[in-house]
Amino acid sequence: MNTVPSLSARYSDPRAYPRGVAFLDGQYVPISEAKISVLDNGFLHSDATYDVVHVWDGAFFRLEDHLTRFFESVEKLHMSIPYDRAQVTEILCNCVALSGLRRAYVEFICTRGVSASGSRDPRDCDNRFIAFAIPFGSVANPVQMTRGLHVAISDVVRIPPQSLDPTVKNYHWLDLITALYGAYDQGAETVILIDQNGNVAEGPGFNIFAVCQGQVFTPAHGVLLGITRQTIFDLCEGLKMDCVAQDISATVLCQADEVFVTSTAGGVMPVSKINGRMIGAGGVGPVTEQIKAAYWDLHVIDQHRLTVEYPDPSAG
Ligand code: PLP
């Protein structure tokens, strides 16, 4: 057991952080120095919204779509930030440029902030804008990308849309985390939550897709409208594949020919086992493989790219 520090003990952070740069309170700081007040309602009450975009080989992917979703969420939560789209773009570019990261996970956040008077009225709070760039991370690790994720379907019901609008990207993750621990107990690596009607909803940080007889399905309601999910609709159109948003029961998902999950953190990620049983022939199915390849191919297309200007390392 640790001893209790004496009155003279002063704060110094002993933790190790990944490489990265953050923007908060109008300044760029190393990620290890990016701290918010313990009184921020974003921390105390999960009263915040955020978005995550990735940078791949020196360029943002679909940043405009992430900005649209973020600004809509900020408005839906009656928050405001002192920057417009162009300024947020500049701040995100600066974080990435300063970090030097060519492949980055870039998060931008609006928290309710702190009320100077201590009032409990959220309208009295000064909203806070934060952004950061850290190394790109994936829901699935390289082994899982090759052999497919092992997933459990939880009986934990995802927070219903009547309680919280799932299209507002949010930090209400305790249903996801509770379900994740249940999945670990069953030997699975991640988890899928259901909705109030027993249909599949989403998982910790990803949307879900089933491939049945060449058609692609994903839940229509009660989920975050993922930007990667939208990319799958776009890609399927180009590949002349039907992609349909509709209810998917747990049974249909388990009997699908292929299952994959999607996220900005990892792209298109195959699922090879659900509740200990193999999906299709196991491994990565051909449709998943084709969509995954098309997803990464799209990253070189100008329409979706915003190239980051990195400082010249040779310049003083
Ligand atoms: N669903 C949830 C709950 C998420 O948190 C995320 C991403 O973090 C997704 C779905 C996937 O969204 P996107 O493709 O925009 O990353």
Side-chain angles (χ1 to χ4, degrees):
M1 206 185 288
N2 285 352
T3 52
V4 175
S6 71
L7 277 178
S8 61
R10 287 292 173 267
Y11 183 74
S12 107
D13 190 344
R15 295 165 196 85
Y17 292 92
R19 187 172 151 201
V21 168
F23 172 88
L24 83 163
D25 294 337
Q27 288 181 327
Y28 300 96
V29 290
I31 200 77
S32 58
E33 290 169 25
K35 314 276 162 118
I36 63 158
S37 165
V38 292
L39 295 181
D40 192 309
N41 283 286
F43 169 67
L44 289 178
H45 296 150
S46 300
D47 188 351
T49 186
Y50 73 110
D51 219 290
V52 175
V53 58
H54 66 224
V55 166
W56 196 253
D57 293 344
F60 283 93
F61 182 64
R62 298 193 81 142
L63 178 58
E64 290 303 324
D65 297 305
H66 288 277
L67 288 170
T68 299
R69 185 170 68 181
F70 177 71
F71 276 101
E72 282 175 6
S73 296
V74 167
E75 202 178 318
K76 283 181 192 165
L77 295 182
H78 307 280
M79 293 177 178
S80 65
I81 61 167
Y83 306 107
D84 64 17
R85 278 177 85 98
Q87 289 171 313
V88 170
T89 302
E90 198 178 331
I91 290 167
L92 300 183
C93 285
N94 288 346
C95 286
V96 177
L98 287 169
S99 76
L101 293 163
R102 258 60 185 176
R103 291 186 177 180
Y105 175 104
V106 183
E107 181 154 340
F108 44 118
I109 307 160
C110 181
T111 70
R112 186 71 60 194
V114 179
S115 151
S117 67
S119 122
R120 296 181 70 88
D121 185 335
R123 293 169 299 184
D124 295 339
C125 290
D126 282 331
N127 302 159
R128 185 190 291 260
F129 177 74
I130 305 164
F132 63 83
I134 54 173
F136 179 80
S138 172
V139 170
N141 64 35
V143 171
Q144 294 164 340
M145 284 302 272
T146 312
R147 60 116 159 102
L149 282 158
H150 297 168
V151 174
I153 299 181
S154 174
D155 49 15
V156 172
V157 172
R158 181 78 175 117
I159 297 177
Q162 293 86 343
S163 303
L164 176 61
D165 178 354
T167 66
V168 173
K169 197 165 157 68
N170 65 75
Y171 290 134
H172 289 263
W173 269 51
L174 285 184
D175 53 350
L176 298 166
I177 300 297
T178 304
L180 195 53
Y181 273 94
Y184 293 153
D185 288 344
Q186 293 173 46
E189 295 161 339
T190 190
V191 73
I192 287 173
L193 275 72
I194 52 170
D195 68 16
Q196 292 158 295
N197 302 317
N199 295 309
V200 300
E202 58 189 343
F206 53 80
N207 291 115
I208 297 155
F209 288 78
V211 183
C212 306
Q213 296 177 338
Q215 278 192 305
V216 182
F217 299 94
T218 192
H221 310 289
V223 296
L224 177 73
L225 301 178
I227 306 300
T228 324
R229 177 181 181 273
Q230 182 55 49
T231 307
I232 304 308
F233 283 113
D234 299 348
L235 285 172
C236 284
E237 207 180 322
L239 294 168
K240 305 273 177 281
M241 254 179 228
D242 279 344
C243 187
V244 184
Q246 65 170 52
D247 289 344
I248 306 173
S249 70
T251 313
V252 165
L253 191 76
C254 293
Q255 290 169 354
D257 302 324
E258 299 177 32
V259 173
F260 62 87
V261 298
T262 63
S263 172
T264 297
V268 178
M269 297 167 279
V271 171
S272 55
K273 267 190 191 175
I274 299 184
N275 294 347
R277 293 182 56 187
M278 209 155 79
I279 295 301
V284 186
V287 174
T288 306
E289 196 64 78
Q290 192 182 5
I291 292 176
K292 185 177 137 212
Y295 174 78
W296 289 109
D297 285 351
L298 208 55
H299 282 64
V300 295
I301 293 180
D302 263 358
Q303 179 200 354
H304 291 307
R305 277 171 72 89
L306 176 71
T307 305
V308 177
E309 303 290 335
Y310 294 87
D312 178 357
S314 61

